Structure formats: C-alpha cells, structure tokens
Amino acid sequence: MRFTLTASNPQAHHLRVTLELERPDPAGQVLALPAWTPGSYMVRDFARHVIELHARCNGEPLSVTKLDKQTWRCEPCAGPLQVDWTVYANDRSVRAAAIDGDGGFCNGSSVFLRPLGLPDGPFELVLPPTGGGDWRVATAMEPVAVDDAGFGTYRAADYEELIDHPLRLGRFTRHAFTAAGVPHEVVLSGAPRLDADRLCTDLARMCESHVELFGELPVRRYLFIMNLVGSGFGGLEHRASTVLDVARASLPQPGDVADRDDYRDLLGLCSHEYFHLWHIKRIRPAAFVPYALAAESYTTLLWAFEGMTSYYDDLGLLRAGLLPVDAWLERVARTLTRVHRGPGQRRQSVTESSFDAWTRFYKQDENAPNAIVSYYAKGALVALALDLLLRRDTAGGCSLDDLMRALWQRHGRPGVGVPEDGIEQLAMELSGLDLGGFFEQALRSTGALELEPLLQAFGIRPLLESAEPTAQYSPQLAAAVREQDGLPSLAQLLEGGAAQRAGLAVGDRVVAVDGIHLPAREFPQRLARLPAAEPLPVHVLRDDRLLERRLQLDPPAVDRWRLELVTDCDPETAERRAQWLGGAA
C-alpha cells in the first residue's frame, strides 16, 4: 500500500494525495479520515478540507459514494485501485496541514485516508521532489530510498505510525546534537539569527535529564520541528518528534542573558513534549490502545498524562541545571495561583475535566474559569502532592520517579494500556501505602489540595499574598480585561466578583469609572487606586447602548501564592528536600 504526497498547487494551499492498493476490499474499498489527532482532544473534522476525491480501477474511472462526513466507499474493484484526493491545507497550527510557496507542514491524521477492512500496513510514503530545487524534507519516518534533500520513499509499519511522523517541507535550517548517544535535530522554518550552540546544548541537557529518569531512550533519532511565529506557544507530541509553535523572540541570541523568561518557557515547552515520548506516546490509557480516531475517545486519565508531564517539564529543567530553584518555585507558585483563583475548581474535579476535555477544555468560552478546572494545571499539583506524599510517608523509599519507571516497564515498553485506576493501584502497590483517601480527595472531589503541610515537610514555605493588577487582570474587579476599540473590554468575569455583582457582562467596554475615563493600557492599575467597598458609578458600552451601573470594588484579593525555600530547616528536612530536588536545593 503506497501513498504519494505532492504540493500540487502551493499558492492555492493544495496538497495532492494518491493511494495505490494492489488488492482492495472486493466488496468495495472503504476509506476514512480521522476526526481528531492524537494528543489534541477535540473533534476537528479534518475531512471538511478534502475538496475533491476520485478513484480509478485498472486505469478506468470508478464511482465513489460518501457514507458520512469522513468516510467514502469505492464501488467493487478487483484491483489495482488508485484513489486521488486534494486537501485544502491552510491550517498553520501544529494539528493539521499548511502549504504555500515557501513550504509547509503536514500532520498525517489530517491528510491520509485510512483503507478499512485490509491488513494494517505496512505503508510506503512517496514524496516526489518539489519546490524548484531548494526545498527539503524533515521527518522522523524511516527512510527507504531518499535523496540528499530528503525526497523519496519512506516506510511506516502501520497506519498509526504513518500519521505519527509529521513532515516539514520547504526551506528551513537544521541543527544537530546528540543526547544519550542518540542523534537529535532541531528544524527551524523562518529562523532569524540565533545562538544554535546554546539551544542545542541546553536541549541535550534537558533530554538527558528525562532519559536518566526512565533509564532508556526508545527511539533511534528524535526531531524538534519548530514553526516560528510572531507570537504563539504550543506543541504536539509524536512518537519520535514534536512540532512546536515558537515565538521568534524566544529563541536565544548571541550575547543573551541566561535567565530570559521567554527562553525558559521555550525550553519548558520542549521538555513537556519530549517527556511525552514516554508518557502518552508509549505509556497510554487503555482507552487509547489502539486510538479510535473516528469519534471521541474518553478517559479520566488526562490529569495524569498531561498533569504529570506538566509537573516534570520544569522539574526536568531544574534537574538539568537549566532552571534555578527559586525560578522553579516561582513557576510552581504560578500554577498554584492559577488553580486557586478559578471558581471552576469548586465545580469540576480533575477526572471530570479529563473526561470532558472534548467538549469543555478544548472549547472554552468566557465562562470557562467559572465552570472548569485545567487537568494540566491541577494535574501538575496532584503530581506534586503525590510525589511529596510518597517521599514523606515512605521515608524516601518511594517517589513519583519510581512510579514513572514502573509505568514504563509494565505499560510503556510492552505496549499495554493503563486501566482507568491503574496509576492509583500501582502507586499503592509500590509504596505499600493506603492512598485511597488521597486519590478520592485529589482526583474525584472539588476540594482544594492540602499542599501546605507537604511542602513544609520539604522545607518549602507557602505564602498567600495580595495580587497585583496586571495589564490583563484586575483582582478588585475579579475580571480579565482586554483592549477593544481603545477601551477596556471585559473578557471574563469570575463568579461572585465585583464586576458580576454590578451587573456588568462579558463584552462590556468601560467608558468611565467614578466619572473618569481609565485608558485600556492602564485600566487595572488605575482601578486599583479607587476605594473598595464604596459604590461608584461605572459607564459601559454594551453593543451600541450606553449603560450606567453601580460598582462596589472588592478589597485587594489575597489570591497569589509564593513559595520560599527555608534556608534554616532541620537536617532531616534538608536531606529529604535534597533527595527530591537534587543539587539544586
């Protein structure tokens, strides 16, 4: 079974795909395109971008019937069967495909129709030379016969592997490094000047930190594909690569200071996706073995697969010496604050958040903070709490590191899916502790995690403080603010806060408070100077109406966490902390 992919008309954003089958299903070959892509839990209906599809049997035209939004059936054919389709590729996210005159990117689940009713592979993918002679190919797929630019034939053992090796086509720069004895490469499209040596050195240290945790690296090569954008941040994991949206300004430049936050964010994103190489690409929920890509596939375990990964992404940087302990504590405190501020944590448990990812987490609206809790953020806090609890109550005999290694040995290496209660049961087996109460409270209740005593047991002092206003958030108003038409516009209102009590609504544009216009760029800071608990007139534009309301601002909210390293803790606590954080502590 052979696929051929060509950029048939890059200026029109057209990718042309041909599938050749020597022995199609004699009852009529059925072809289907996934509705979603692994790692991004929302139905995206990729088939809507298939703009034409034709079939031929022994060179003669063959009729094709569309069965549903993403499935086609060819009339019976003894073979060989050739099916051609065109995909409109202008989605520049990491989840789909895009092509233009400068090159493009292809995530296979959005492009390759799967032949149903036949043995699952092997598949060949042919990439004919294109792009006028200066285009190249970057992919982690196994090459069979390719030229120096990477055009030619590749091989995938099955359909899941075929769609799990994204492709970068066009003009780009490449930078190579070795981690744990394995070749790694960074591919950047549209790259400015950068300190490539520093980027590769830092990535190698991060990669080796994660390899050390799991004890082995299950790939023969690994590829970081960086799509450079003016502003953006995100990534999608694959079995031997990752695709990242990276802001150009976050890349290291020659002579840069070592502690730029945006560069640390970039390293953290790379760390997150690299950790997924083990934890979700190979250690997977049983519900994802195999992936069922025609419709939603539900699991309550995203708190573990994304939350634990979110815990380890910055911890991996800390252990690699790329993040000082005070900066790491600041990032943990940010996550604590984010979860603490959201009323949604009192409405939705982290397992419910995992299960409802398809319709709620990935489809957030202005009410999201009041209705949902992030399985990334709260899941990371659950991972932190579980790690500290295991370490404290087993006197250092068991930790989350041990749990991750056991998950790898029992589920990742043999390819056995993790049952919905598998992580809980394994944690109790390894530690010998009865953790039923902890998991019930942490995973299935909407109560706050009891992190303070756990942190204190490791010489970390948690402090709750009043939050300062920022350009996007007013704590006294309990609202998120953005600029619209030069005016402060209310983007989100926290339930029970001053803005909601005053009868303000999402989308209201604030003209004046207490008779004074507050410019959008200064709105939260200027608002913070006004008296609390005193009714003030506020004028807002709602659509084309000017409304007046009475606004009673709240006192400054005590809703920001700060974590301090206790420098004079007792020797036992200091040793416990050193075993957890290593030399960084």
Side-chain angles (χ1 to χ4, degrees):
M1 294 181 281
R2 179 185 295 116
F3 287 93
T4 302
L5 177 69
T6 59
S8 58
N9 188 350
Q11 285 72 23
H13 311 297
H14 287 179
L15 285 172
R16 184 75 169 178
V17 189
T18 298
L19 172 60
E20 300 169 78
L21 300 174
E22 288 295 324
R23 297 181 180 83
D25 187 338
Q29 185 60 56
V30 177
L31 305 164
L33 196 64
W36 59 282
T37 190
S40 183
Y41 307 108
M42 187 176 85
V43 169
R44 299 188 182 274
D45 291 329
F46 295 122
R48 63 197 167 98
H49 294 306
V50 176
I51 56 178
E52 60 179 357
L53 185 147
H54 307 285
R56 303 178 74 86
C57 182
N58 288 304
E60 296 298 321
L62 195 68
S63 67
V64 180
T65 302
K66 195 167 186 179
L67 303 181
D68 59 32
K69 63 181 180 178
Q70 62 206 36
T71 312
W72 293 259
R73 173 181 279 127
C74 303
E75 69 174 294
C77 164
L81 173 67
Q82 177 178 310
V83 184
D84 300 280
W85 62 95
T86 300
V87 176
Y88 178 71
N90 196 28
D91 183 339
R92 300 186 179 278
S93 74
V94 298
R95 299 173 293 271
I99 192 76
D100 61 23
D102 293 323
F105 163 77
C106 172
N107 188 13
S109 55
S110 69
V111 169
F112 297 122
L113 289 165
R114 181 176 190 170
L116 304 182
L118 299 179
D120 187 16
F123 293 96
E124 283 188 348
L125 173 62
V126 179
L127 302 174
T130 188
D134 61 348
W135 281 25
R136 294 186 291 168
V137 177
T139 181
M141 194 179 299
E142 179 185 349
V144 176
V146 299
D147 62 21
D148 291 342
F151 291 104
T153 303
Y154 293 84
R155 182 185 185 278
D158 52 35
Y159 182 79
E160 188 176 300
E161 181 181 350
L162 175 74
I163 66 171
D164 211 11
H165 288 301
L167 306 164
R168 162 57 65 188
L169 305 171
R171 306 176 188 92
F172 50 77
T173 57
R174 316 176 85 129
H175 303 281
F177 65 94
T178 299
V182 173
H184 289 59
E185 197 170 39
V186 182
V187 168
L188 304 106
S189 59
R193 275 191 326 115
L194 79 154
D195 188 342
D197 288 342
R198 179 182 174 192
L199 178 63
C200 290
T201 298
D202 290 349
L203 287 177
R205 291 166 65 184
M206 175 274 293
C207 293
E208 289 176 344
S209 172
H210 292 321
V211 175
E212 184 178 351
L213 170 64
F214 286 101
E216 61 181 307
L217 181 55
V219 293
R220 290 181 292 183
R221 61 184 293 251
Y222 190 87
L223 183 64
F224 293 93
I225 300 175
M226 295 188 180
N227 299 331
L228 301 184
V229 294
S231 62
F233 185 84
L236 188 63
E237 68 275 4
H238 295 276
R239 65 178 58 197
S241 59
T242 182
V243 185
L244 309 164
D245 281 341
V246 173
R248 288 184 183 86
S250 68
L251 291 169
Q253 299 293 318
D256 264 354
V257 294
D259 57 352
R260 267 180 44 217
D261 270 350
D262 55 354
Y263 178 56
R264 286 174 174 172
D265 289 342
L266 168 60
L267 292 177
L269 176 63
C270 293
S271 178
H272 185 98
E273 304 305 338
Y274 196 76
F275 195 86
H276 275 318
L277 190 157
W278 295 269
H279 197 53
I280 199 59
K281 297 314 302 181
R282 289 164 177 83
I283 309 168
R284 280 155 56 171
F288 291 171
V289 182
Y291 286 113
L293 298 174
E296 295 92 338
S297 187
Y298 293 97
T299 177
T300 61
L301 288 176
L302 294 183
W303 71 267
F305 286 95
E306 291 295 354
M308 286 180 174
T309 303
S310 296
Y311 171 62
Y312 274 107
D313 55 21
D314 281 339
L315 185 59
L317 298 184
L318 176 73
R319 290 173 169 176
L322 298 170
L323 193 63
V325 67
D326 58 342
W328 180 74
L329 288 173
E330 182 183 348
R331 287 167 180 253
V332 175
R334 260 187 250 158
T335 303
L336 268 167
T337 299
R338 178 182 167 193
V339 173
H340 177 77
R341 281 180 177 170
Q345 67 161 329
R346 297 187 288 275
R347 281 217 169 88
Q348 187 185 53
S349 71
V350 75
T351 50
E352 290 170 336
S353 177
S354 300
F355 193 85
D356 291 337
W358 301 90
T359 56
R360 302 185 75 178
F361 186 78
Y362 271 85
K363 294 182 178 181
Q364 294 189 28
D365 57 20
E366 68 278 0
N367 191 50
N370 300 314
I372 68 173
V373 66
S374 167
Y375 54 77
Y376 283 85
K378 189 170 182 182
L381 298 182
V382 172
L384 169 64
L386 179 58
D387 196 7
L388 299 185
L389 182 64
L390 290 173
R391 291 174 182 275
R392 185 192 68 183
D393 291 0
T394 64
C398 183
S399 70
L400 194 62
D401 293 350
D402 298 307
L403 177 59
M404 297 309 305
R405 284 188 281 266
L407 284 168
W408 170 244
Q409 294 297 328
R410 297 193 190 185
H411 296 278
R413 292 187 92 244
V416 176
V418 179
E420 292 296 289
D421 66 345
I423 291 176
E424 299 171 51
Q425 295 300 322
L426 186 54
M428 289 190 278
E429 176 193 330
L430 293 175
S431 67
L433 302 173
D434 181 0
L435 300 171
F438 168 80
F439 284 120
E440 194 64 32
Q441 194 271 341
L443 303 182
R444 287 175 282 277
S445 84
T446 56
L449 290 169
E450 296 180 3
L451 274 167
E452 292 94 324
L454 290 170
L455 290 166
Q456 289 165 353
F458 287 79
I460 307 293
R461 182 183 296 114
L463 302 167
L464 197 56
E465 302 176 329
S466 296
E468 295 293 328
T470 68
Q472 292 80 35
Y473 176 67
S474 167
Q476 286 185 289
L477 201 58
V481 183
R482 59 185 173 88
E483 184 173 346
Q484 183 181 352
D485 302 328
L487 296 173
S489 176
L490 304 183
Q492 292 177 327
L493 275 61
L494 297 188
E495 196 169 281
Q500 190 185 73
R501 295 196 310 270
L504 302 181
V506 168
D508 284 353
R509 288 161 292 160
V510 182
V511 177
V513 180
D514 199 24
I516 303 297
H517 171 59
L518 308 181
R521 64 184 179 276
E522 304 172 11
F523 179 74
Q525 292 84 353
R526 294 267 296 272
L527 197 72
R529 300 177 193 168
L530 295 175
E534 178 181 323
L536 303 171
V538 57
H539 291 82
V540 299
L541 281 171
R542 184 173 300 169
D543 296 325
D544 58 353
R545 294 179 298 154
L546 180 64
L547 305 178
E548 181 179 353
R549 297 287 187 265
R550 304 297 290 179
L551 173 67
Q552 185 172 311
L553 294 170
D554 292 323
V558 182
D559 65 354
R560 183 180 66 182
W561 284 100
R562 181 164 61 87
L563 301 179
E564 287 184 347
L565 202 69
V566 179
T567 57
D568 57 350
C569 55
D570 61 82
E572 182 181 353
T573 301
E575 175 61 24
R576 191 184 297 128
R577 186 173 65 199
Q579 289 179 0
W580 171 35
L581 300 180

